[in-house]
Amino acid sequence: MLLSRTGPWIDRADVFDCLLKERGRPGHGCRGAVLHGTGGVGASSCAIAFGKEYAQLFDDGQLYADLRGSAHTTISAGEVLRLFLEKLGMPRDDVPSTPDQRAERLRELTSGRRLLVVLDHISDVDQVTPLLTDDENVFTVVVSANGPMPELPLMEVEIGPLRDRYPHEMVASITSEKRVKTNRRKARTVIQMCEGSPFALQALGEHMRLRPQRSWAEVEGEFRALAGGVPDGDPVALTVRWLTQQLEVEERQLLTPLVMRPWPSFTSALAAEVVGIGEIEAERMLRRMAKLGLVKSCGTARYTIRPTVRRHLPGVMDDDASRWDSVVGATLDAYLRLAVHLDYIALPERWHLNPMHDEVKLRARADHARLSVQQALARLREELPNLLEAVRTAHAMGEWVTTWQLVDALWALQLKVGFAEVLLPVIGLAIEAAQRCGNERAESRMCFQAAFAHMALGQMRQAEGQLEAALAVAERDGNLLSRASVLEGMAQLNLNRYTTNPVQGLIDGALALLESIPEDDPDHNHTPRARALLIQFTGLRHFLDGEEDEALDAYRRALREFGNAKDTYNQARVRMRMALVHRARKQPAVAAEALDRALGVLNIDAPGQIRADASEQRAACARELGRADEEIHFLETALRDHEADERPAAAMKVRQLIEDRCRGY
């Protein structure tokens, strides 16, 4: 999991020696080190380089997590534990719900493995403690964002500035020795003013490489003019001030929205939309700022502000402070439009409360030809960290409508892909926001969304509480479709609990509410799909009760209703359920036919996990029919989806099945 090394490498043999000595220390107990130093000293690069250089010592794996300790949006230890458990082979659905249980499972899975664990940008000891293990084979390197951490049972290693010949060599390796020799005395003076900071030296070298017409004397004069206003002569603060002075007006405007809040990353397209320039021009500017070190590339046309830089930029850009509120507002609007647009493509048939869906409908229909459901979900997944930060920002600014609308636009991602754990905190903010703006329909929807997140995490009691709250608000609001939706959710909750007795009463109550919606009510357009979902759950209730004939009958009626609603995705999901009934009745050929029809739709409209589940079911049918080659074909299809969806445990299980079948087992 280690990141690729970027930029010129600095010899840190002394640090490596300390780490190797600690790893080889005799005895038992926790092994590892806390790397710390002044900002821009290269502690993160050092930890990553150590893992790359000595990969053979950690041949069972290298785990990495950036906890973003220098920003306001740190990642919790619980989230990191979930990520590590999945990478170590635990199925996503088997990850325990509490951090303590996850920490225990991590210790079990890492026992005896030769592992390196790198925890980057740590701001607090509590982020680290659950991730430590006493196993002597596991070596943990913590990169502290806040200096020493004596509370941790790890060796402290302070990383200092570069000394002796290394600052000169670093600048010369970037720009060229010949360039440095053009005015060696002035070059030496400027390099000395960087005080051995790798960040400052790299920025200086890149600037001189990109601006061959500039003289060392000019740069020295600029450094001296700025040095008096830099507290404690901090070379990173000095360099950031100097770099921002070199920016064009348009580049400063582009950088402003990215500094205002700790966005985990941003695309050149979104930055261009906020500022009002062309995407190609924005990409050109960001690439230049990346070369200078103000931003860092983290993917195709995607960037992030370096933590070291983020600490100093707001103070440097005070002249832009008058624009900050409007710029942040424009950024929120851009993220909301993006989320609503992608949500509509991913789940166009759902009941939308946000009026912005009507605004994006025509654009989304035009984009449907070139952006599939899978691609829309992938984009939402990629932007999720930024959308979560957008929710927190909107809530902090008192933008209550924007807060709940952003969360509402994440429903397709939550329903089809997951991420319940990271979504629950912002759904809580959305419930409060809907209450503050007096929108009971939105409040009921947000409680409903929270209930489904709890259900996904196996927290049935909390889910029940949220559904009861959603129903109470919906009854006050008086909206029939809201009340029917909540009753449907209560039926699903009972089906998940395998308590089928109350299910039919809830379904019948919801159906009666749908029948009461007048034809001239706009909500009436959503009743065919809502009715089909309820009939589908009737079929599942019959199946769980062992009533297979009744289950198939209900599923056939649901197929017709989804057809009336033009919902091909849910038709495919019904066919998957029908296949389970046919397999229970020892009818694999009939089940295979239903799954083939389902996969024809799911290969276009479904996320990877759903397609993989259908392919695994289809492979089981082939095995029951004695068709070995066909079974392997569908297992390989499922494997590709699991790998693309980053489900290592599921992929490992399917890979083992393929190997067994190839050996004739």
Side-chain angles (χ1 to χ4, degrees), residues 252-267:
R252 284 181 68 94
Q253 291 175 344
L254 187 66
L255 194 59
T256 300
L258 314 178
V259 176
M260 302 303 98
R261 292 289 298 182
W263 308 109
S265 68
F266 47 86
T267 62

Side-chain angles (χ1 to χ4, degrees), residues 17-33 133-139 153-155:
D17 288 343
C18 289
L19 296 178
L20 291 171
K21 184 177 180 181
E22 169 63 10
R23 185 185 179 277
R25 171 175 55 83
H28 302 285
C30 190
R31 306 295 174 92
T133 173
D134 290 335
D135 194 298
E136 59 192 35
N137 295 288
V138 179
F139 192 74
L154 303 174
M155 177 181 67

Side-chain angles (χ1 to χ4, degrees), residues 194-225:
C194 293
E195 296 185 10
S197 164
F199 167 80
L201 293 165
Q202 183 173 354
L204 173 64
E206 288 289 356
H207 177 81
M208 299 305 286
R209 183 180 68 82
L210 294 170
R211 305 280 293 276
Q213 76 280 8
R214 302 218 65 198
S215 70
W216 291 101
E218 286 180 300
V219 176
E220 181 197 15
E222 291 166 356
F223 267 52
R224 291 193 183 281

Side-chain angles (χ1 to χ4, degrees), residues 169-208:
E169 288 182 358
M170 184 174 182
V171 174
S173 71
I174 299 170
T175 179
S176 76
E177 186 66 42
K178 180 180 178 181
R179 182 87 163 90
V180 175
K181 286 181 177 178
T182 55
N183 191 334
R184 186 180 293 275
R185 185 174 62 84
K186 294 291 185 183
R188 185 187 306 117
T189 300
V190 179
I191 290 172
Q192 287 174 347
M193 294 181 76
C194 293
E195 296 185 10
S197 164
F199 167 80
L201 293 165
Q202 183 173 354
L204 173 64
E206 288 289 356
H207 177 81
M208 299 305 286

